[in-house]
Amino acid sequence: MRRFRRHGQESQRDRIKQELFQFNKTVEHGFPHQPSALGFSPTLDLLAIGSRSGAIKLYGAPGVEFMGLHDENAAVTQVHFLPHQVELVTLLDDNSLHMWTLRAHKGLSELLEIGRFTLTGPPGAPPSVTRVTAVLAHSSGELLLLGTEGGHVFVVEVPGFRELEERNISLDQVANSVPEDYIGRRNLEHVESLQENPVDPNQVIIGYGRGLIVIWDLEKQCAVQHIPATQQLESVWWTEDGGHILSSHSDGSYCRWTVGGEDSKDEEEKSDIPYGHFPCKAISKIVQLPTAEGPPFLLFSGGMPRASYGDRHCISVIHNKTHVALDFTSRIIDFFVIRDGLQHTGDPSALVVLVEEELVVIDLLTEGWPVIQTPYLVPLHSSAITCSHHISAIPLKLWERVIAAGDLQSTHYSKRPWPVTGGQNLAPDPPQRDLLLTGHEDGTVRFWDASGVCLYPMYKLSTASVFHTDADPNDNMNQGTEGEWPPFRKVGCFDPYSDDPRLGVQKIHLCKYSGYLTVAGTAGQILVLELNDEAAEQTVEAKVVDLLQGQEGFRWKGHTRLDVREEPVMFPPGFQPFALVQCQPPAVVTALTLHSEWKLVAFGTSHGFGLYDYQQKNNVFVKCTLNPSDQLAMEGPLSRVKSIKKSLRQSFRRIRRSRVSLRKHHVNNAAKLQEANARLEAELAEMELAPVQRKIEARSSDDSFTGLVRTLYFADTFLSDSNHNTPSLWAGTNGGCVFAYMLRLPPVERRADDPISAHPAKEIQLMHRAPVVCIVVMDGHGSPLPEPLEVAHDLARSPDMQGSHHLLVISEEQFKVFTLPKVSAKMKLKLTAIDGSRVRRVGVAWFGSSRTEDYGESGLLCLTNQGDVHVISLPGVKMQVQHPCIRREDVSGIASCVFTKHGQGFYLISPSEFERFSLSARCMVEPRSLVEVLPLSPTATQLRAQPEGASAESDHRNARRDSDDAESAARRVMEHALLNDEKVLEEIQKSLEGVGDQTTFLENNVNSTLDGGKVLSNGD
């Protein structure tokens, strides 16, 4: 019938689709997976993190985020911001250098790659000659110094990446200047570190791996001083006054050297080993910063006694008489210190440490040096995420109560604001308050503010206190023993170890109107909790529910149930458990839903489902769905080895059967073939399959886990007749079966005393026995029924009870609509038969028009095993849009996906990161940021002296930059000039006049990006 539609109708619907649906991946929440490099710009007040996958992420004030991705599949090993500019340089482990810039476009900044460069040595030279090991971004903003594995230092002009061969520092030049009596002069090894003199930009330190430190004068092209350290060098630091150099070494020692005249080789090596005389690990980085009053701060990483504490990841902070060894949860990648004041030249205020699994910020201005709560980069995987649940449009009262409970858990954090404040967050305020709940392996549920760009932690609920576990509640990991040496202090929240795997949270359901929460776990436990603003001591009694209903011949081979504490437990303010249902056998809870208006909780496992009245604390009914042939459901998740053996055995049996039938088939082959062809033609004549569809074989009822309950759904609809609506519970199983139970609730005044009754009303068996993923009931207008209490709070219109209701059953293979109460098939949409994909996740969403405020449509969000997301219209069940979202190989990402009520979604792209995406043209959360570099004060400009020739080279380079766009050249020069200095403005004018004569430019500079560059902004 499609060919008879009018073109006008088609184009109008396409226009409406464009106004309703738009697919975007908007932002990544959480902590970058496998970070490998850290950088910080005091001028821009931005921090940068590079990862092993080649991603580069920039963070400033909360909401200011940028992301870029290198084309090369190589790890980022170093990140360096160019001083007083919006450019940064990344070094990858394939030895390539990349230049990035934050360029303004339509009022927003975008992270743009504008050039790449690889050092090339002389013909026949070994790769070590140009293998970069150290990078120094010179304070002039015009030069990069690159130290290599071969001991050479190359000088490169930026941002054009032009090698200045006449200024390179060769290993021979340095070696010839080394005193004859230095023991390691014949083999200085690689360049370990490059540092600039804070008071004289013409001088730089070249630190060699063997231990030699050379102060080199860039202007005179000669060595000023040699510091003959004898131990393997790890890092160097030049003090702010330029008078001393600190060097740290592989034996756990550090040395302080005085910067003297031409020859100070007679100075004795004064080494200090902070942690004793026994062999220590290397001090990999050392920093010393002054304070306005009192002694300086000394910070270094490593140096622990090798035998006793070699497995600790520590940064030691020493100031005055305070000495603390900060003990981190994972390997330290890098650290830097933020200083107070507008120009970041005051006292040290915060220590920022990047470790493998989290970012930790220490407040150095507050006594005790507490941790500052991070507004982003929070480790979502502090315990492994096992499930997620999203709730949209949280009422203000519930929001404030959750925040208040969370604040009581955060008293140990510093009260000082977040110290990284670069950029401006131009994103509009979120239109509503959204919560993302994550369940974890250790039995905790974490509440996250998911309203905007930052996924901010609000509150943490622990369910472990209800049960007996191996953990001692009196353990305090944060405090070290008095007098302990080294003076350890545990910092960080990453703790992947669970006391008991049975505590793992599998399902969560929160009612945002009543404040009731239900949490289900791995060992068949279902907790019902309510929000309480005061601490309370109470006993939680377990109601044991037998899902097998006494069936003979079944023996549970899995884990035992958790032991409930019999004594009263003190629960802090927040969500407190008041009811506990324990399924028997204690299998994983696979389905869970809560109806706060009826005070009911429905739960399901691989053995059946039940209904619990949490007001009367009684079980209403239990239905066993276990197939007699399904022995696998009795083994539990810890007995998978047996099931694998069983499936392999069945596979081999099938192969043998097929071979036997093949041999039989060859007997009288010609006659059999003729008969089979005739039968096939007759079958094809009878079948009415569309040419694009494929025939799906019905699944055997002997398949494993056919009784596993996949979905549960409460609905007030028509079951017995079309005149009387009644509360009902619907359940869908893995075997394609749907059960409907009619519920009889007593009147409100007798609700607390009279029991609830439940009676079987309907049972549907899908033809292909495909697992039922979701069940939805639609009212007379074709709209999904509202949530419990949603109508009572005037947040949704009452459902239409006059017209006939429809039941939508979504299986892995198709969407099928039935009429109610007759349950006769009305329409269906096939998915597996069309493209072979299967439904994995489904959610009901409202899509508002981006053009008209008062128009919108309900739809189904669907994610398939191919990683595609679909939008399907309701009630017509027609495909609207389809977009690839997740890689089909990313099984864990597909399994972790959760949809919102307004057309967005989250899925895990790594154990520690959620990718956020949107299918709605109206509702989209994405970073919108602007970063601008502030002009320097005249005093600061005078202090920033340039090496000889650098200024002339800079003028010449600026004159020829962007020869086809003079206005762009003017803007770039003015960014780094004093706008109130007439002489500077005259120089700019002269340089612009000469632009037309300059035709040459480096291949990998800015112009290359104008032709084929890529803009990588805000998570693209």
Side-chain angles (χ1 to χ4, degrees), residues 654-718:
R654 280 195 213 101
I655 291 169
R656 280 199 294 269
R657 281 199 296 267
S658 64
R659 284 174 178 169
V660 170
S661 61
L662 197 62
R663 283 197 295 268
K664 291 179 179 176
H665 181 73
H666 283 296
V667 181
N668 199 4
N669 189 34
K672 292 280 186 183
L673 186 60
Q674 196 172 7
E675 182 184 341
N677 285 335
R679 190 167 60 248
L680 183 60
E681 287 176 8
E683 287 178 2
L684 287 174
E686 293 175 3
M687 290 169 62
E688 295 182 354
L689 285 177
V692 295
Q693 296 185 359
R694 64 189 75 186
K695 190 168 184 280
I696 306 298
E697 291 187 5
R699 304 187 187 203
S700 168
S701 60
D702 295 334
D703 283 356
S704 298
F705 290 111
T706 54
L708 185 144
V709 179
R710 290 285 292 268
T711 184
L712 292 162
Y713 180 73
F714 285 113
D716 188 356
T717 186
F718 302 98

Side-chain angles (χ1 to χ4, degrees), residues 213-252:
I213 301 169
V214 177
I215 300 178
W216 189 268
D217 192 301
L218 295 173
E219 183 180 349
K220 298 176 182 177
Q221 290 285 298
C222 66
V224 175
Q225 183 178 346
H226 300 88
I227 298 173
T230 55
Q231 291 293 333
Q232 190 82 18
L233 186 69
E234 293 290 329
S235 76
V236 294
W237 180 262
W238 208 323
T239 59
E240 194 174 66
D241 59 5
H244 293 88
I245 291 171
L246 298 179
S247 62
S248 68
H249 301 276
S250 60
D251 63 345

Side-chain angles (χ1 to χ4, degrees), residues 195 289 358 418-419 532 590 940 1003 1015:
Q195 289 282 332
L289 292 170
E358 61 184 318
W418 180 245
N532 191 347
T590 56
E1003 290 179 356
V1015 174

